Amino acid sequence: MHGHDEDVYFSSSSIRINPSPHDNSLLSNLQSCSKTLSSHLSNTRLSLTRMLDSLKNRHASPRLTQTRPVRRHNSPTQMLNSVTQLMIGSKSPLLSLSLIQSTQSIWSDPGAERLSSPLLCCASLSLNRPSESSTQSVEGKDVVQQQQQVQKGHSSASRNAEERVLISEVLVRTKDGEELERKDLEVEALAALKACRANSALTVREVQEDVHRIIESGYFCSCTPVAVDTRDGIRLMFQVEPNQEFRGLVCENANVLPSKFIQEAFQDGFGKVINIKRLEEAITSINGWYMERGLFGIVSDVDTLSGGIVRLQVAEAEVNNISIRFLDRKTGEPTKGKTRVETILRQLTTKKGQVYSMLQGKRDVDTVLAMGIMEDVSIIPQPAGDSGKVDLIMNCVERPSGGFSAGGGISSGITSGPLSGLIGSFAYSHRNIFGRNQKLNVSLERGQIDSIFRINYTDPWIEGDDKRTSRSIMVQNSRTPGNLVHGNQPDNGSLTIGRVTAGIEYSRPFRPKWSGTAGLIFQHAGARDEQGNPIIKDFYSSPLTASGKTHDETLLAKFESIYTGSGEHGSTMFAFNMEQGLPVLPEWLFFNRVNARTRKGIHIGPASFLFSLSGGHVVGNFSPHEAFAIGGTNSVRGYEEGAVGSGRSYVVGSGEVSFPMRGPVEGVLFTDYGTDLGSGNTVPGDPARARLKPGSGYGYGFGVRVDSPLGPLRLEYAFNDKHNGRFHFGVGQRT
């Protein structure tokens, strides 16, 4: 990738460079550094101490006071060559430390004899890639020899390390002894000094620490302290070599790192002297970008090339292979699984060749758990040999694939009798048919009035489909109370609505947080009295079917779209549902029904506010018992089920505030309002007017909610606009 912005040139190469065995990782460099760093620093201190002894002996020598000048020859120059690699922290560029002892001519005064003496040791830090040979020599016999030399001179070095020498002048010069062209760099170097000041007595340790401070300022790649004896005393010069000016950037192997991010991290330094600290900050920001996204990536190497080009080498761990391992539920040992491996792999968004992301891996774990067939899932990344890639092992513990269950509930359509609303259920389910995560559920729910027998088969992801489309086939025979629309008959009689339904539905996500469902459903429905006999009119002679026969038959084309925020009850939600009756046969009903609902939650301190709104409308010829019923636990509280109105249209709004009380218990204040928008008389037979339903009403009240394994348990007491009070009990969130 390339970028250009105001003479800033960036280049990122896509060429892969395979690391050699000797450059396998930064860890090996760091290990070689730890083996030799202590010995090199000891050598530096020893050399500086010997220089100090030489200066003291020279000033105390009787030959310096002779009147006749005597010319003396320089002693041989002694060189200490040793190189080691340093890593400052885990995210800093590599530095090499070299120690050199130098000799220079000094003059005591004009006409005096010319003397030569070993001077201060040079301690330089330079930005270089350590050579393989130097690393090997450090780890070989040279280390043993250097350690022996250090041990011999350590006693004398420790004695002289804290002795002081008076320095008359402190200067910053180039490595050739000339003044720096850029005075701002000279100011930076002088500002970094802490101990070295003119007319100050210094120790070897203090000089060494100031050398490190100059290097740590970030502007210089080397610094050599040199002492020169002058007429006015000892002049201490720090011979520095500034870093190059930043002229460009090459970033290698950064396949997922955006080029814009790299440009923003480095473009402020273009045309300026490379500052190691700022370079480290840029590298830290790059490493932080990988860390924030959970990606296995890091800047592995940094080089400064000729011409001021900075080269970054990034190591990104790509996924080499993904394998599935099944573990026994009891022993935890590997076992043979019932689920097909490809059924699990297709759920994963992590693929081979991608840079591994821990966040993406966590989402994959949640996705596999959401299949409902696993008890526990975990991902373990492991190095894939010396390739720099990772192998992923997904450990899966399967749940029992099927079994029988029993339970109970409460029907929201029952309004009279202490036990008439109780429902018992019995079901058999298989979660993993053929090892493909396909599910079969056969259930029977039976109450004093209600009964539902349902067979449902679901394939959560149709094989061969890349859009994650699911398919559900359903057959159902149900009998539900008809009092929502046709209740409150004067003779205390009751009627039920019987339905035989069969259909197929397809669902899939089509945008983030959006999902859609489309299906085709056939329904055969009619009303029956308490003895189970078909009836076509209620007590008020209102028709119970649209066709005038004992049953209405309808072929429905269904479409539904749902938006869900975080998935929690208080998050934003929107749902739109449309059903179209298709008159394939003349006697089949032809109508269109739309229904929409939405909610929005707001948190203010410990309190939570929830607002919801729903509404719908029907056009065409439809069965009267399919009218929108208003009032009840999930509608307008304070009224019985369906007691506000039964209309062709409706709107219901609700607002509530909940606050924690103790443990899992919450307190709730609420208010509801609902209306049929004056559409009650448009329902065939106008059942709402015969039962004196007002068509609109509101309620308000308070309650408590308790979290339980079955879901929230709701106990509420509400007053309606007629000042009548009523208890409401429910399980789960309000729909």
Side-chain angles (χ1 to χ4, degrees):
M1 56 186 174
H2 301 276
H4 187 75
D5 183 13
E6 298 181 359
D7 298 330
V8 183
Y9 183 77
F10 300 91
S11 174
S12 176
S13 173
S14 60
I15 299 176
R16 302 291 180 84
I17 301 178
N18 294 325
S20 65
H22 300 289
D23 293 330
N24 187 31
S25 65
L26 291 178
L27 183 59
S28 61
N29 295 333
L30 188 59
Q31 290 173 344
S32 64
C33 165
S34 63
K35 295 178 182 178
T36 58
L37 179 58
S38 60
S39 64
H40 292 323
L41 293 180
S42 300
N43 284 342
T44 305
R45 184 168 56 252
L46 178 59
S47 300
L48 293 175
T49 305
R50 288 177 177 173
M51 177 279 305
L52 186 60
D53 289 338
S54 176
L55 286 176
K56 292 196 299 180
N57 293 335
R58 173 171 56 79
H59 285 290
S61 174
R63 288 190 293 272
L64 294 177
T65 61
Q66 293 179 359
T67 58
R68 185 168 60 90
V70 178
R71 187 67 175 262
R72 304 182 63 88
H73 298 283
N74 290 337
S75 61
T77 302
Q78 299 179 353
M79 304 296 294
L80 299 176
N81 297 318
S82 58
V83 179
T84 186
Q85 299 175 1
L86 298 178
M87 173 67 77
I88 302 177
S90 61
K91 303 175 182 178
S92 301
L94 296 178
L95 299 175
S96 64
L97 174 65
S98 60
L99 307 175
I100 306 171
Q101 185 174 359
S102 62
T103 304
Q104 300 224 1
S105 299
I106 55 176
W107 300 85
S108 59
D109 53 50
E113 65 175 354
R114 186 176 179 181
L115 302 176
S116 61
S117 171
L119 299 179
L120 285 177
C121 172
C122 159
S124 66
L125 290 172
S126 58
L127 187 67
N128 291 311
R129 182 190 294 276
S131 64
E132 178 183 341
S133 60
S134 63
T135 304
Q136 292 176 346
S137 64
V138 166
E139 296 178 351
K141 296 182 179 179
D142 292 344
V143 175
V144 179
Q145 295 175 359
Q146 291 175 8
Q147 290 177 349
Q148 291 175 350
Q149 293 176 2
V150 170
Q151 292 174 356
K152 292 180 181 179
H154 181 72
S155 59
S156 61
S158 60
R159 289 195 302 268
N160 297 324
E162 301 301 328
E163 296 185 13
R164 297 183 177 274
V165 174
L166 181 63
I167 301 298
S168 62
E169 188 178 9
V170 178
L171 300 175
V172 176
R173 294 290 183 264
T174 66
K175 62 181 180 178
D176 298 325
E178 304 295 333
E179 292 187 2
L180 273 68
E181 295 182 1
R182 298 187 55 161
K183 295 301 180 182
D184 56 334
L185 295 180
E186 181 178 344
V187 172
E188 292 289 346
L190 291 173
L193 300 177
K194 182 178 180 181
C196 296
R197 296 286 186 268
N199 301 319
S200 59
L202 304 176
T203 65
V204 173
R205 183 185 301 275
E206 290 172 338
V207 175
Q208 186 181 17
E209 290 175 351
D210 273 352
V211 168
H212 286 290
R213 291 189 183 98
I214 292 177
I215 295 298
E216 289 172 356
S217 68
Y219 292 99
F220 307 97
C221 60
S222 68
C223 177
T224 304
V226 178
V228 180
D229 195 5
T230 68
R231 179 194 302 273
D232 298 325
I234 297 178
R235 174 187 299 159
L236 179 60
M237 290 191 303
F238 290 94
Q239 295 182 348
V240 297
E241 182 180 358
N243 294 326
Q244 302 179 62
E245 288 189 0
F246 180 41
R247 293 298 180 185
L249 176 71
V250 176
C251 188
E252 299 177 347
N253 299 332
N255 299 318
V256 298
L257 186 66
S259 59
K260 183 179 179 181
F261 183 85
I262 302 176
Q263 294 178 21
E264 293 175 352
F266 285 93
Q267 67 181 4
D268 289 342
F270 180 77
K272 302 177 183 178
V273 173
I274 297 174
N275 186 288
I276 300 301
K277 285 187 175 180
R278 293 177 183 172
L279 183 61
E280 291 177 5
E281 292 175 357
I283 293 172
T284 301
S285 67
I286 293 176
N287 292 337
W289 185 90
Y290 283 102
M291 185 177 299
E292 289 174 1
R293 290 154 182 79
L295 295 169
F296 274 27
I298 192 173
V299 177
S300 59
D301 198 8
V302 182
D303 261 342
T304 302
L305 308 178
S306 60
I309 305 298
V310 175
R311 182 177 68 182
L312 298 181
Q313 188 168 354
V314 178
E316 296 178 344
E318 296 181 353
V319 177
N320 179 65
N321 187 42
I322 305 175
S323 59
I324 306 298
R325 181 171 60 186
F326 295 97
L327 303 180
D328 187 84
R329 296 177 63 247
K330 298 180 179 179
T331 64
E333 298 295 327
T335 185
K336 183 178 180 180
K338 299 178 181 179
T339 307
R340 298 177 59 177
V341 172
E342 54 269 24
T343 300
I344 300 176
L345 290 178
R346 69 192 305 216
Q347 301 286 339
L348 308 183
T349 58
T350 302
K351 305 297 182 183
K352 296 180 181 179
Q354 293 181 350
V355 177
Y356 178 58
S357 168
M358 291 184 292
L359 298 181
Q360 190 176 7
K362 182 180 182 300
R363 290 193 294 267
D364 286 340
V365 168
D366 293 339
T367 300
V368 175
L369 286 173
M371 295 169 64
I373 59 177
M374 298 297 170
E375 189 174 283
D376 187 34
V377 179
S378 62
I379 291 181
I380 301 176
Q382 293 182 344
D386 297 331
S387 62
K389 299 182 179 181
V390 295
D391 288 334
L392 301 181
I393 300 177
M394 174 171 279
N395 291 325
C396 299
V397 179
E398 293 180 305
R399 299 173 59 185
S401 57
F404 294 91
S405 62
I410 298 177
S411 172
S412 61
I414 304 300
T415 60
S416 61
L419 299 177
S420 58
L422 293 179
I423 299 176
S425 64
F426 181 80
Y428 170 79
S429 61
H430 197 293
R431 305 183 183 92
N432 197 12
I433 298 176
F434 310 122
R436 297 176 181 268
N437 192 32
Q438 298 174 3
K439 306 178 188 304
L440 175 66
N441 184 273
V442 180
S443 63
L444 173 64
E445 297 179 3
R446 180 71 180 177
Q448 192 172 5
I449 298 176
D450 302 59
S451 68
I452 300 177
F453 175 75
R454 179 189 294 120
I455 301 175
N456 191 75
Y457 167 80
T458 302
D459 186 353
W461 191 347
I462 300 174
E463 187 172 0
D465 177 78
D466 59 350
K467 303 297 184 181
R468 302 184 70 92
T469 304
S470 66
R471 176 177 55 213
S472 179
I473 301 175
M474 176 267 299
V475 176
Q476 176 177 294
N477 185 358
S478 65
R479 189 181 67 176
T480 58
N483 61 324
L484 295 180
V485 176
H486 297 277
N488 298 327
Q489 300 193 77
D491 60 354
N492 293 325
S494 62
L495 58 88
T496 59
I497 307 298
R499 296 180 177 89
V500 177
T501 307
I504 183 171
E505 294 182 353
Y506 292 88
S507 301
R508 81 174 194 188
F510 53 87
R511 292 191 62 184
K513 300 182 180 181
W514 282 92
S515 62
T517 300
L520 200 61
I521 302 172
F522 177 80
Q523 178 175 281
H524 176 87
R528 294 178 178 271
D529 59 16
E530 294 177 331
Q531 288 73 36
N533 300 316
I535 54 176
I536 58 175
K537 291 185 178 181
D538 64 5
F539 179 84
Y540 298 100
S541 298
S542 298
L544 296 174
T545 60
S547 63
K549 301 179 181 180
T550 57
H551 292 87
D552 288 332
E553 293 180 330
T554 309
L555 181 64
L556 294 173
K558 174 183 176 182
F559 171 78
E560 184 177 41
S561 179
I562 299 178
Y563 170 86
T564 55
S566 63
E568 299 179 355
H569 177 63
S571 64
T572 302
M573 185 276 296
F574 174 78
F576 175 81
N577 179 282
M578 182 179 70
E579 295 176 342
Q580 176 65 53
L582 303 177
V584 177
L585 298 179
E587 61 271 20
W588 291 4
L589 301 185
F590 177 60
F591 65 92
N592 179 272
R593 172 171 28 208
V594 294
N595 191 14
R597 63 186 188 278
T598 184
R599 69 167 182 255
K600 174 68 176 179
I602 301 175
H603 297 278
I604 301 178
S608 298
F609 294 84
L610 184 65
F611 304 94
S612 61
L613 181 67
S614 61
H617 182 66
V618 182
V619 177
N621 187 23
F622 69 104
S623 302
H625 55 78
E626 298 286 357
F628 294 113
I630 308 170
T633 302
N634 291 315
S635 182
V636 179
R637 285 162 286 191
Y639 281 91
E640 292 184 359
E641 302 294 328
V644 174
S646 305
R648 187 181 287 265
S649 305
Y650 88 102
V651 172
V652 171
S654 176
E656 64 182 38
V657 55
S658 60
F659 46 88
M661 296 179 64
R662 176 176 293 182
V665 181
E666 283 186 338
V668 182
L669 300 175
F670 58 85
T671 180
D672 305 322
Y673 175 79
T675 175
D676 63 4
L677 300 176
S679 63
N681 58 357
T682 63
V683 176
D686 192 8
R689 180 191 299 182
R691 290 159 179 80
L692 303 178
K693 295 183 179 182
S696 64
Y698 66 86
Y700 57 91
F702 58 91
V704 293
R705 295 177 183 170
V706 182
D707 283 335
S708 72
L710 299 176
L713 303 179
R714 298 182 285 125
L715 179 61
E716 300 160 337
Y717 189 79
F719 297 93
N720 59 28
D721 48 357
K722 302 182 184 302
H723 308 292
N724 297 324
R726 182 176 181 84
F727 277 104
H728 296 273
F729 179 76
V731 179
Q733 304 289 356
R734 294 184 76 231
T735 57

